[in-house]
Every structure is written in structure tokens, then in C-alpha cells.
Amino acid sequence: MAVRLVLFGRQGAGKGTQAERLCAHYRAPHISTGEMLRDAAAEGSVVGKRVQVIVDAGQLVSDELMLDVIQDRLAHADVQEGGFILDGFPRTMAQAEALLGLTTIDVAVNLEVPHDIVVERMHGRGRADDHPEAITARLNTYETRTLLALAYLDRQGLVVTVDGIGEPDDVFDRLVKAIDSRVGVS
Ligand code: AMP
């Protein structure tokens, strides 16, 4: 059965790692908008260069561009057949609303790790956009904008919160349990 999941979590909550494991478990394509944007930036096109400046500053790329990217990706055959695990989208209320206009989703998982703990974790990561100003900007954006997207999906009854603290294997087990209870897989 194809699952259509959205994964929310502060940067550094372990979302990317868990998303990959969930993709293997549910045999669903991983859609990471951050990765797609980093690939676009690496190509060095005009759009890619503009994207890179925004990503490096820890700010959000425009909803308009993101919606084009996601609409295009959701139309691919692998997603049509295998569902998806969305990682890093939606990040704003407008993106969340638009997403529900494009597709149904089974569940949105909120991988909950408190602010102070993710700050500790992120300093060791070494990505180009992991300098202190960008980390702070991304966390602020999460609190001020992405939590509104999460609240919107919660009002639609789609959100389940999972404790993201602990060993990755334990967190993964919790995620699978929470997801299966929502999508009717035993
Ligand atoms: P991530 O790998 O998910 O942490 O994303 C890295 C960066 O890509 C973010 O800090 C944003 O600059 C940009 N980005 C990723 N997804 C989105 C989105 N849905 N909306 C706007 N910007 C995004």
C-alpha cells in the first residue's frame, strides 16, 4: 500500500535520517525539498545561484518556486505508484494549503525534539548552511512560520506527534507504530 506522509521536525531533529529509513520501510520515494534545492544550486544555473544565496542565509525560498518544484515532483510516476515521504515541505501555511489542493495525505508526523537539543546537535553537522547565523535563522523560521503549517494540518486532523529524543532505532520504532496506527497497516 502506498503511503503519503509528511514529516515535520526542527532542523537537527533527525528528520532526514528517519525519512530515509521510513522510505525503505514503506517503499516510498523520499522527497526532500532541501536536497532538491541543493542539487539545483550545485548545477550553477541562474535560478540555482539565487536559491543558493537564500539557502545559505537560512531563509525560505519563495512559496511560488517551492510549489512549482513540488507540483512537478508529485506528478512523477514513482510518486503516483509508491506514494511519498515529504521531508522539508510544507514550511509555510500557504505551502500546507496548496499541498492539500494537490494531493491527499495520510498523516503528518511531527518529530518532536525541543529547541535546545537541536541546537546542540546541529553544531556538529558541517553543512555549508550550518553556520551559527543560518542555524538561528532556520530555527526562528521554524517557530514563526513552519509551526503555522503544522497547526493548519493539525486542524485537518492529520498530525501525530512522536518523541524524537533517544536512540535512532527507538525513534524509528515509535514512528512506524504511530504511522501504522494512522494508515491502517497492521
Ligand atoms: P532542509 O534540508 O530541509 O533543512 O532545507 C535546507 C534549506 O532549503 C532551508 O533552510 C531553506 O532555505 C530551503 N528550503 C527547503 N525546503 C523549503 C520549503 N519547503 N520552503 C522554502 N524553503 C525551503
Side-chain angles (χ1 to χ4, degrees):
M1 195 193 96
V3 293
R4 286 157 302 190
L5 305 182
V6 177
L7 211 47
F8 279 90
R10 291 185 174 81
Q11 293 80 4
K15 185 165 52 73
T17 312
Q18 296 293 347
E20 288 189 6
R21 296 182 65 168
L22 291 170
C23 288
H25 183 83
Y26 291 107
R27 297 169 195 273
H30 182 195
I31 304 182
S32 160
T33 47
E35 221 165 78
M36 292 169 87
L37 293 173
R38 283 189 288 281
D39 287 349
E43 279 167 17
S45 64
V46 175
V47 174
K49 281 180 187 153
R50 279 191 205 152
V51 163
Q52 179 137 36
V53 172
I54 297 167
V55 170
D56 284 351
Q59 297 188 337
L60 292 184
V61 172
S62 76
D63 288 338
E64 198 190 2
L65 177 62
M66 289 315 306
L67 286 167
D68 280 350
V69 166
I70 220 70
Q71 186 161 15
D72 186 68
R73 185 67 189 87
L74 292 179
H76 286 208
D78 61 335
V79 170
Q80 294 295 315
E81 285 156 24
F84 53 79
I85 296 183
L86 259 181
D87 166 9
F89 185 97
R91 267 176 152 95
T92 67
M93 173 97 150
Q95 291 179 11
E97 279 177 329
L99 177 64
L100 294 189
L102 288 173
T103 182
T104 51
I105 65 170
D106 298 315
V107 58
V109 182
N110 173 26
L111 183 61
E112 179 60 31
V113 177
H115 183 282
D116 293 354
I117 296 180
V118 295
V119 171
E120 279 292 308
R121 287 187 186 178
M122 284 219 290
H123 283 289
R125 219 163 62 162
R127 223 167 65 184
D129 57 346
D130 275 351
H131 53 93
E133 293 81 11
I135 292 174
T136 306
R138 291 210 303 275
L139 284 171
N140 283 343
T141 304
Y142 192 82
E143 311 297 327
T144 57
R145 305 197 61 191
T146 304
L147 287 182
L148 293 178
L150 183 65
Y152 172 78
L153 295 181
D154 195 31
R155 288 197 293 279
Q156 318 293 316
L158 290 168
V159 174
V160 59
T161 292
V162 171
D163 180 4
I165 297 178
E167 290 301 318
D169 284 351
D170 296 335
V171 174
F172 180 71
D173 288 346
R174 274 177 231 147
L175 284 167
V176 168
K177 253 187 215 142
I179 293 163
D180 287 353
S181 73
R182 298 295 292 248
V183 297
V185 181
S186 61

